[in-house]
């Protein structure tokens, strides 16, 4: 134990190392001995500076005589294990570095040389039955010195393991630095430490799944009776479905979590928070988060052909100083792409990801306006216009995200609402195809253009418009919405976030009045009265047809009676 404070060259067959370091240390210990044996090194106790990271403060272990040898392990503040490492030869090196925080760090390590072929036969192994027993070597006699045993327990799927030590007696130490038993939740000893015990006790452990690992490590002195333990498999309850619902719109993100689902994970609704902890849920029969799409710490990522809004619901442990629960995060994503909004919930628990999807749409619409001020929309339908009249169209996106642009990519006209074979291009790939079209620069959530009214040469009474709309992130310097007119060759590399189409119509021409004055006097009110005029015209036509039929019937009757009268007055010839 009396080694130099910062680094040393060690040649003993075995040695405990009690190390104390302060800030800004960088110390190297080299273990080497000319022998055909290998080295086992355990760090049974380590205290780093609070909140330190592996990048700033750690123990690095190298398989060889220097820090340039292969790295075989690292220990730092968040190491969830009792590290035991082995060299491949007769030399081993470890480096301890500390950061600038004023704090006394404490470490305890123990190493010894051993021959791999001399491992104890009745030590450790694989246990696969539904229940079983494990004991320390020589139990109930004292266990050997320099013992390292590892038991891997695996039971049937959909079960967990209950481990009970009926008898337990190891060397007593407050920090279990000398002899200890470590239990892990899984098949490895690198992470998932459930507990480390020593002394006289009867501990009980339980895994979260059907695998568990038990380790026994002893030093060179003070051996005791050891332990006898029994394990049993316990069926896991049927998994509760992730009763989670997500709804995305242009305005809001809404997440609904059932209380029963949260309870099955060991949590309740009072321990949930978003990226922004100030955005709290409403707790009723369910736990509901509802917030503007671009708020509460939501992150936005432009992925070329889509925009993804992501937030994370964190579930913190309840009411204990320590916890054995796994950390759980619910990752919520609203992905705006193609013709719909794809809503995805990822629930990560114990490295398992479950997902739920739903469908929605951006809230987008297109309307005609009375002038280029775009302040008064045209409410009437059909919209009656004059030939060559300038029409003003606006596409509107309703969204709480201020960093979006709307772009009119393509707009076609058709006399049919289903846009069959007869169509006419007004705008194509951002390029004006009709010489009367004028497009306005993108303005936040609005896309605007104007054109002159026309009619199709055949006798079609109506015109409908269908426009492809692109939505882009305004922070993207080279997005499709800022490129304007592009060629077909360039279109493939253009970036936009979301694409949809919208339809407006029909447009109809006003009646072809002979007088220009009458044509100009046909106002919006006249257009609204047109359906009534059509109704009166129908009644008038019906009346005219009825009178015509009556006149025809009377004429036929009179003609018949006239012929009968002629026959009555004709003279009869004498024979």
């Amino acid at each position: 134990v009396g080694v130099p404070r910062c680094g040393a060259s060690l040649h003993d067959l075995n040695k405990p190392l009690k190390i104390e370091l302060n800030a800004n240390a960088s110390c190297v210990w080299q273990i080497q001995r000319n022998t055909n044996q290998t080295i086992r090194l355990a760090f049974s106790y380590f205290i780093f500076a609070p909140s330190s990271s592996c990048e700033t403060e750690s123990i690095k272990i190298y398989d060889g005589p220097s820090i340039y040898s292969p790295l075989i392990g690292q220990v730092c503040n968040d190491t969830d294990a009792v590290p035991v490492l082995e060299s491949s030869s007769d030399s081993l090196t470890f480096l301890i570095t500390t950061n600038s925080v004023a704090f006394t760090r404490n470490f305890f390590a123990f190493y010894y040389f051993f021959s791999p072929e001399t491992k104890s036969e009745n030590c450790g192994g694989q246990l696969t039955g539904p229940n079983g027993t494990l004991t320390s070597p020589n139990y109930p006699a004292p266990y050997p010195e320099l013992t390292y045993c590892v038991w891997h327990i695996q039971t049937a799927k959909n079960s967990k393991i209950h481990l009970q030590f009926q008898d337990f007696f190891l060397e007593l130490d407050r920090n279990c630095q000398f002899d200890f038993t470590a239990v892990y939740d899984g098949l490895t000893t690198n992470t998932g430490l459930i507990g480390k015990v020593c002394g006289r006790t009867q501990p009980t452990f339980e895994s979260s799944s059907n695998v568990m690992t038990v380790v026994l490590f002893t030093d060179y002195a003070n051996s005791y009776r050891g332990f006898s333990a029994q394990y049993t498999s316990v069926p896991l309850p049927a998994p509760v479905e992730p009763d989670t619902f997500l709804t995305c719109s242009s305005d809001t993100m809404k997440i609904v979590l059932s209380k029963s689902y949260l309870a099955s994970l060991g949590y309740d609704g009072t321990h949930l928070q978003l990226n922004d902890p100030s955005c709290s849920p409403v707790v009723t029969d369910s736990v509901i988060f509802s917030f503007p799409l671009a708020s509460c710490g939501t992150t936005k990522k432009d992925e070329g052909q889509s925009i993804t809004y992501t937030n994370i619901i964190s579930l913190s442990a309840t009411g204990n100083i320590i916890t054995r629960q796994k950390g759980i995060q619910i990752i919520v994503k609203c992905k705006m792409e193609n013709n719909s909004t794809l809503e995805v919930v990822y629930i990560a628990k114990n490295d398992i990801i479950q997902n739920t999807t739903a469908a929605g749409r951006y809230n987008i619409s297109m309307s005609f306006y009375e002038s280029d001020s775009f302040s008064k929309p045209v409410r009437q339908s059909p919209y009656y216009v004059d030939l060559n009249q300038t029409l003003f169209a606006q596409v509107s996106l309703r969204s709480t995200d201020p960093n979006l642009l709307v772009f009119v990519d393509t707009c076609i006209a058709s006399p049919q609402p289903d846009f069959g074979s007869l169509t006419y291009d007004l705008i194509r790939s951002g390029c004006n195809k009709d010489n009367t079209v004028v497009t306005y620069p993108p303005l936040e959530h609005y896309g605007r253009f104007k054109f002159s009214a026309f009619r199709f040469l055949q006798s079609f009474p109506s015109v409908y418009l269908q426009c492809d709309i692109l939505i882009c992130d305004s922070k993207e310097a080279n997005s499709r919405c800022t490129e304007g007119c592009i060629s077909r060759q360039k279109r493939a590399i253009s970036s936009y976030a979301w694409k949809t189409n919208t339809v407006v119509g029909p447009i109809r021409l006003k009646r072809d009045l002979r007088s220009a004055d009458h044509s100009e006097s046909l106002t919006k009110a006249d257009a609204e009265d047109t359906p009534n005029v059509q109704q009166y015209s129908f009644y008038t036509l019906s009346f005219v047809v009825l009178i015509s039929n009556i006149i025809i019937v009377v004429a036929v009757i009179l003609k018949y009676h006239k012929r009968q009268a002629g026959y009555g007055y004709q003279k009869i010839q004498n024979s």
Side-chain angles (χ1 to χ4, degrees):
V1 176
V3 297
R5 184 179 180 190
C6 182
S9 180
L10 306 168
H11 308 287
D12 301 274
L13 276 174
N14 60 74
K15 194 174 190 65
L17 305 173
K18 185 176 182 181
I19 302 169
E20 182 178 299
L21 295 176
N22 293 315
N24 301 315
S26 179
C27 306
V28 177
W29 282 262
Q30 183 194 58
I31 307 169
Q32 190 168 16
R33 186 180 179 91
N34 294 325
T35 177
N36 291 326
Q37 294 180 313
T38 56
I39 304 166
R40 181 174 287 133
L41 171 67
F43 287 92
S44 56
Y45 182 72
F46 47 90
I47 298 294
F48 292 93
S51 303
S52 64
S53 66
C54 292
E55 289 74 21
T56 62
E57 196 160 285
S58 67
I59 306 171
K60 292 182 179 180
I61 303 96
Y62 301 90
D63 188 13
S66 73
I67 60 173
Y68 302 105
S69 303
L71 180 70
I72 59 172
Q74 183 176 15
V75 184
C76 44
N77 201 29
D78 60 358
T79 298
D80 187 22
V82 185
V84 178
L85 302 106
E86 295 181 7
S87 68
S88 61
S89 65
D90 58 3
S91 61
L92 193 70
T93 303
F94 64 92
L95 164 68
I96 304 180
T97 56
T98 64
N99 61 24
S100 59
V101 175
F103 181 81
T104 301
R105 289 85 168 162
N106 287 283
F107 310 97
F108 188 88
F110 179 79
Y111 79 86
Y112 60 90
F113 285 84
F114 73 102
S115 299
E117 62 271 12
T118 61
K119 290 183 179 179
S120 174
E121 294 181 359
N122 299 318
C123 179
Q126 302 284 338
L127 301 171
T128 57
N131 51 71
T133 301
L134 57 155
T135 60
S136 59
N138 300 336
Y139 179 84
Y143 49 80
E145 61 183 23
L146 306 179
T147 295
Y148 181 63
C149 305
V150 180
W151 290 267
H152 296 292
I153 307 171
Q154 186 165 5
T155 58
K157 292 182 178 180
N158 299 319
S159 67
K160 59 183 178 180
I161 299 169
H162 180 83
L163 179 66
Q164 172 69 56
F165 286 87
Q166 288 91 6
D167 187 23
F168 190 95
F169 189 5
L170 270 63
E171 183 177 1
L172 178 62
D173 172 68
R174 184 179 62 180
N175 297 320
C176 296
Q177 299 175 124
F178 308 122
D179 300 346
F180 62 86
T181 293
V183 181
Y184 294 88
D185 190 9
L187 284 177
T188 72
T189 59
N190 298 325
T191 187
L193 180 67
I194 302 176
K196 181 179 71 168
V197 289
C198 61
R200 298 198 65 174
T201 182
Q202 288 184 313
T204 300
F205 300 97
E206 194 168 85
S207 66
S208 63
S209 66
N210 65 323
V211 289
M212 176 185 279
T213 300
V214 180
V215 172
L216 171 65
F217 183 92
T218 70
D219 65 2
Y220 64 101
N222 302 328
S223 295
Y224 296 90
R225 189 167 61 244
F227 63 77
S228 173
Q230 185 175 6
Y231 77 88
T232 55
S233 63
V234 180
L236 286 171
V240 177
E241 291 298 319
D243 195 3
T244 304
F245 302 95
L246 169 66
T247 303
C248 298
S249 70
S250 298
D251 297 304
T252 59
M253 185 185 295
K254 183 177 181 181
I255 309 112
V256 181
L257 305 171
S258 71
K259 285 185 174 179
S260 61
Y261 175 58
L262 294 173
S264 72
L265 303 178
Y267 298 93
D268 58 44
T270 60
H271 296 82
L272 301 179
Q273 64 181 31
L274 294 169
N275 285 342
D276 181 354
S278 65
C279 295
S280 57
V282 175
V283 180
T284 56
D285 294 337
S286 302
V287 179
I288 303 172
F289 286 95
S290 184
F291 51 93
L293 192 61
S295 66
C296 292
T298 302
T299 59
K300 182 173 67 173
K301 183 179 180 181
D302 188 344
E303 298 176 333
Q305 300 297 312
S306 64
I307 281 183
T308 301
Y309 298 88
T310 304
N311 210 313
I312 299 176
I313 301 175
S314 300
L315 293 85
S316 57
T318 58
N320 298 316
I321 298 175
I322 64 170
T323 180
R324 299 297 181 201
Q325 292 172 298
K326 294 285 186 179
I328 299 172
Q329 289 184 330
I330 300 178
I331 304 171
V332 185
K333 292 188 176 183
C334 293
K335 191 171 185 180
M336 310 297 195
E337 64 177 5
N338 296 329
N339 291 325
S340 66
T341 301
L342 181 62
E343 301 152 13
V344 185
V345 181
Y346 294 103
I347 302 173
K349 178 194 175 189
N350 299 344
D351 299 325
I352 298 174
I353 297 178
Q354 301 168 320
N355 66 82
T356 302
T357 62
R361 291 184 65 86
Y362 258 128
N363 189 346
I364 198 164
S365 62
M366 183 164 69
S367 301
F368 287 109
Y369 283 76
E370 294 182 1
S371 68
D372 59 2
S373 66
F374 294 96
S375 58
K376 293 183 179 180
V378 175
R379 303 293 185 187
Q380 68 190 59
S381 181
Y383 179 25
Y384 288 89
V385 300
D386 286 317
L387 197 63
N388 291 320
Q389 178 180 329
T390 301
L391 307 184
F392 302 92
Q394 175 175 280
V395 178
S396 302
L397 167 67
R398 182 184 175 188
S399 176
T400 55
D401 186 349
N403 299 313
L404 294 177
L405 286 179
V406 174
F407 179 69
V408 181
D409 179 74
T410 296
C411 201
I412 62 173
S414 176
Q416 302 163 343
D418 60 355
F419 292 84
S421 59
L422 184 59
T423 60
Y424 176 72
D425 283 0
L426 290 173
I427 303 171
R428 175 69 61 180
S429 299
C431 304
N432 299 338
K433 296 299 183 180
D434 182 274
N435 59 11
T436 68
V437 172
V438 176
T439 55
Y440 295 81
L443 177 65
E444 295 180 347
H445 292 176
Y446 304 103
R448 296 167 174 173
F449 65 97
K450 65 180 180 179
F451 65 99
S452 297
F454 62 91
R455 65 179 178 84
F456 285 89
L457 292 178
Q458 300 179 24
S459 299
F460 293 105
S462 303
V463 176
Y464 296 85
L465 295 186
Q466 176 178 277
C467 296
D468 289 342
I469 308 303
L470 305 183
I471 299 172
C472 309
D473 188 347
S474 62
K475 294 183 178 180
E476 183 70 22
N478 298 316
S479 72
R480 176 68 187 92
C481 296
T482 59
E483 288 178 332
C485 175
I486 61 171
S487 64
R488 179 178 296 272
Q489 290 78 11
K490 189 179 177 183
R491 195 181 318 158
I493 62 172
S494 299
S495 170
Y496 60 87
W498 193 82
K499 181 178 181 179
T500 188
N501 60 63
T502 184
V503 177
V504 68
I507 309 165
R508 293 180 180 173
L509 295 179
K510 296 179 181 178
R511 292 192 171 189
D512 186 13
L513 301 179
R514 295 180 179 272
S515 170
D517 294 337
H518 287 174
S519 177
E520 293 173 1
S521 66
L522 182 56
T523 62
K524 180 179 176 181
D526 296 330
E528 292 174 347
D529 292 339
T530 300
N532 294 330
V533 173
Q534 291 176 338
Q535 186 177 11
Y536 295 149
S537 298
F538 174 76
Y539 291 149
T540 302
L541 178 61
S542 300
F543 180 74
V544 170
V545 171
L546 179 61
I547 295 300
S548 300
N549 289 336
I550 293 174
I551 292 173
I552 292 170
V553 172
V554 171
V556 171
I557 293 174
L558 289 177
K559 183 176 181 180
Y560 173 79
H561 281 289
K562 181 177 180 181
R563 290 178 61 187
Q564 292 291 338
Y567 295 147
Y569 289 99
Q570 184 178 1
K571 291 182 180 181
I572 300 175
Q573 297 291 333
N574 295 325
S575 58

